[in-house]
Amino acid sequence: VYLISETKTEDGPSFKKYGKVCFVDLAGSERLKETKSQGTMLKETGNINKSLFNLGKVISALGDKKKQGRSHIPYRDSKLTMLLMDSLGGTAKAIMVACVTPAATYSEETLSTLSYASRTMNIKNKPIVQMDSKAQIIQLSKRDRASEAGE
């Protein structure tokens, strides 16, 4: 979902801010034995697992405090990680909701989900306001004039 917010100022120009909201259901890893997938469904299950594996690599690379800023982040390895690039270590705010079950039969999936969530908490984003370039120049010049007047 793409958002545009327009703020009108008292002295004339209006400022537009741009945003994007991504809702992604990661679905969890798919067990081939349980789903008994065949044909097209088998291929789709493999793609889901591949995307989740690549997402895990990106989250690990971003959350590794020892290598921050020095390691390659494999965003291009899947469409999912490309979609979430702004949210994963980028310029956006991100919220991850981890849904787990207390059922013993799904303990492996629960641990995997909790691992994703805990590694995700180590990622530090630097949110910025996305504005129209003209509006950004006007706002910066107003800020400069205000700081000069206060000096």
Side-chain angles (χ1 to χ4, degrees), residues 98-115:
C99 299
V100 296
T101 179
T105 54
Y106 295 104
S107 61
E108 191 176 319
E109 283 82 359
T110 296
L111 287 173
S112 176
T113 300
L114 292 174
S115 174

Side-chain angles (χ1 to χ4, degrees), residues 15 129-141:
F15 298 100
V129 176
Q130 299 290 331
M131 297 177 70
D132 179 63
S133 59
K134 289 179 186 176
Q136 197 169 18
I137 291 169
I138 292 169
Q139 187 173 12
L140 287 172
S141 66

